[in-house]
Amino acid sequence: MTFQGFAFDNTFARELEGFYAPSEAAGFKAPALVKLNRPLAEELGLDPDALAEAGPALFSGNTPPAGATPIAQAYAGHQFGGFSPRLGDGRALLLGEIVDPQGGRRDLQLKGSGPTPFSRGGDGKAALGPVLREYLIGEAMHALGVPTTRALAAVTTGEPVFRDTALPGAVLTRVAASHIRVGTFEFFASRHDHGPVRKLADYTIRRHYPASAKAENPYFDLLVAVGKAQTSLVARWMQIGFIHGVMNTDNVTVSGETIDYGPCAFMDAFDPATVFSSIDRRGRYAYGNQPGIVMWNLARFAETLLPLLADAPKAAIALAEEALGILSEHYEQSSLEGMRRKIGLQKAEGGDGELIEALLGMMESAEADFTSTFRGLAKVLRGASADEALQLNPEELAAWMPRWRARLDREGAPADAIATAMDGVNPIYIPRNHRTEEALEAAVQDGDMRPFDALLEAVTQPYEERPSLADYASPAPPEFGPYKTFCGT
Ligand code: AMP
Ligand code: MG
């Protein structure tokens, strides 16, 4: 079957004039399809075989699909704390919105398709390594149940991109609930242009939070709704040892989806100070700082909404502060709830936070692997020796174990059932940094996609132990050394 096209309905382009610049893809000589996300295609109601056939021309941007309105979106952003009033899609093109069979609306965006009016001297392009990295980690996050943008396809362009060296060029096709960011609000708010901010807020409510329209103060409700989505998201990141690496406000979606997998990575040994990104020299976006940073980013979002919250500035500030208080509390709740489940607790008791903190303290002092420790706890419940299943200090462990066991007794469930529930929330397979690097290197240097596909297979069923995949469950060997990541530019 040939590709029938997308049923586009481009509300952003239609309703938000002034929030974008029309643009087009650069056009590439020899595009080739490297990956097509068949399960996602099916979820979107698209025929994967037809997409594969149309793929090179379609996903490189060479042939824009019928009904597309290619635009580059405008946004600003606080980057590492400093404000940039004009960023925007410098290397991305929103083709349009598709409505899936369940009625969900998703943006279809090309990333790396060439310069736009927002490129600021950049080439607008992307290299194959970062494109595949975003594909892989997005799919892993999705399988882990973490809200995320997803890759529908990756193509190589047949042309090099020049970074430190020449690298194979590529384009990622990304699907997202939307690409509206905190930075999109900041773009207009920083110019004190309140009309467009209201327009964008109303659009966001219609598209993402329709219940807010009925609230007494819809904009207060929007702030709380976005904030809850974002704080829940960061709580999920913390529970899987994920470090985003570049939590600038232009990378914070109002939908609550994880976006922009540039320098992100997963932590092996538990240490809240872990930073992988080479440009994050002061550790602003370290693992343990992420909860504070999401609140900082939400404060920037609240500032953009001040004129909408109330007429009197004082009243508006009071409402913003009230919302931030609610959100800070929401983070704590969401974090505690998730961590409880990681140690097998469904019920809530007052001392649970302390019990969890004590475990994390032991993990930190022993430099224990974050992911394996939680799987190890379930093994102990199934009868394994704690000293063997857990790489923790035996004396500290001997003090902690009886506290945990006594707490589990009050759950009133058989140990086996608790262990099974724990394995359902504690992944065994995450994209380990050394595995990710190995997969990207094979793809980029040798055009060999087998390691990538094998890793993708492991991390897209992250909770189900498969003996043949034992190698994917271990942390990096010592010779892998300290890990550094780079922004995917
Ligand atoms: P990112 O680090 O990917 O979130 O990008 C931050 C900003 O830099 C965004 O405005 C991007 O569009 C822009 N940008 C990143 N890489 C490029 C590039 N190669 N060419 C043009 N703009 C870019
Ligand atoms: Mg970005």
Side-chain angles (χ1 to χ4, degrees):
M1 199 169 103
T2 53
F3 179 58
Q4 299 294 311
F6 301 104
F8 279 124
D9 177 30
N10 303 337
T11 58
F12 193 96
R14 198 163 64 231
E15 297 173 29
L16 292 175
E17 203 174 317
F19 287 74
Y20 59 84
S23 190
E24 53 189 49
F28 295 104
K29 279 186 225 130
L33 189 64
V34 178
K35 285 297 296 177
L36 174 68
N37 191 337
R38 288 176 169 264
L40 177 58
E42 277 165 13
E43 206 180 291
L44 296 172
L46 304 167
D47 174 14
D49 292 329
L51 271 187
E53 198 186 310
L58 183 63
F59 297 126
S60 61
N62 280 6
T63 312
T69 316
I71 57 172
Q73 291 177 308
Y75 52 85
H78 277 88
Q79 301 185 304
F80 292 91
F83 186 62
S84 302
R86 188 184 154 91
L87 293 169
D89 287 333
R91 54 162 170 169
L93 209 52
L94 176 62
L95 293 180
E97 300 148 25
I98 45 184
V99 181
D100 66 33
Q102 293 74 41
R105 179 179 298 273
R106 319 260 199 120
D107 276 7
L108 198 66
Q109 191 201 58
L110 302 181
K111 185 170 173 182
S113 52
T116 76
F118 298 103
S119 293
R120 296 171 291 142
D123 62 3
K125 310 236 166 109
L128 180 60
V131 161
L132 288 178
R133 188 183 174 80
E134 176 155 348
Y135 191 120
L136 175 77
I137 302 198
E139 286 309 285
M141 294 290 267
H142 175 71
L144 288 162
V146 182
T148 179
T149 64
R150 294 178 69 186
L152 178 61
V155 294
T156 45
T157 61
E159 296 174 21
V161 294
F162 299 96
R163 300 296 180 251
D164 286 341
T165 55
L167 299 166
V171 179
L172 180 79
T173 300
R174 177 158 83 177
V175 170
S178 84
H179 286 82
I180 305 169
R181 307 143 193 265
V182 166
T184 320
F185 283 81
E186 289 179 295
F187 185 80
F188 292 99
S190 66
R191 305 163 174 200
H192 306 287
D193 205 350
H194 305 321
V197 177
R198 184 182 297 269
K199 216 170 157 184
L200 181 62
D202 290 340
Y203 177 85
T204 304
I205 289 173
R206 283 198 301 281
R207 182 155 173 184
H208 294 294
Y209 301 103
S212 294
K214 298 184 197 82
E216 191 186 324
N217 183 336
Y219 304 113
F220 178 83
D221 211 70
L222 172 67
L223 172 57
V224 172
V226 169
K228 284 188 174 172
Q230 272 294 330
T231 46
S232 299
L233 177 69
V234 173
R236 289 291 292 123
W237 292 356
M238 298 300 282
Q239 288 150 21
I240 52 172
F242 176 77
I243 301 166
H244 183 278
V246 59
M247 290 175 73
N248 296 334
T249 55
D250 51 301
N251 291 336
V252 176
T253 58
V254 298
S255 67
E257 287 183 340
T258 312
I259 196 170
D260 277 2
Y261 290 96
C264 71
F266 285 80
M267 174 173 65
D268 283 348
F270 178 68
D271 177 3
T274 306
V275 176
F276 293 115
S277 170
S278 55
I279 58 166
D280 190 3
R281 289 191 194 88
R282 295 185 185 186
R284 179 181 170 87
Y285 299 137
Y287 172 80
N289 287 351
Q290 296 184 124
I293 289 290
V294 72
M295 289 306 303
W296 192 89
N297 288 339
L298 290 170
R300 304 290 79 72
F301 181 49
E303 281 166 4
T304 71
L305 296 178
L306 283 175
L308 311 186
L309 288 176
D311 289 336
K314 264 196 176 165
I317 289 172
L319 283 172
E321 281 173 352
E322 185 188 333
L324 292 170
I326 294 171
L327 297 175
S328 180
E329 177 62 22
H330 181 81
Y331 175 79
E332 293 305 328
Q333 283 308 321
S334 176
S335 164
L336 185 56
E337 209 176 288
M339 290 307 291
R340 268 195 186 107
R341 280 200 294 269
K342 284 182 79 69
I343 61 165
L345 308 178
Q346 308 292 331
K347 298 177 181 164
E349 276 190 22
D352 293 346
E354 254 173 65
L355 188 65
I356 292 159
E357 284 306 316
L359 172 64
L360 293 173
M362 285 194 292
M363 288 165 66
E364 188 176 351
S365 61
E367 299 180 20
D369 183 69
F370 184 80
T371 305
S372 319
T373 300
F374 292 98
R375 290 295 284 211
L377 286 173
K379 286 187 192 149
V380 174
L381 286 189
R382 295 197 180 95
S385 127
D387 287 340
E388 277 168 31
L390 301 164
Q391 266 67 58
L392 298 172
N393 175 298
E395 270 169 39
E396 288 176 354
L397 194 55
W400 188 82
M401 268 296 157
R403 286 174 67 193
W404 182 48
R405 292 232 185 237
R407 177 63 187 82
L408 287 177
D409 284 346
R410 295 197 293 281
E411 286 288 304
D416 247 15
I418 294 177
T420 304
M422 287 173 71
D423 284 351
V425 294
N426 294 321
I428 181 164
Y429 309 113
I430 54 162
R432 297 277 184 180
N433 302 324
H434 62 301
R435 289 288 181 191
T436 301
E437 287 305 318
E438 176 188 274
L440 299 186
E441 204 177 299
V444 172
Q445 293 186 359
D446 311 324
D448 178 4
M449 290 297 289
R450 284 171 304 181
F452 181 93
D453 289 336
L455 180 57
L456 186 66
E457 166 78 24
V459 300
T460 48
Q461 286 182 61
Y463 300 109
E464 189 198 319
E465 183 162 9
R466 285 157 285 167
S468 62
L469 298 182
D471 283 354
Y472 290 90
S474 339
E479 58 272 23
F480 185 62
Y483 187 50
K484 278 271 164 250
T485 57
F486 302 90
C487 264
T489 50

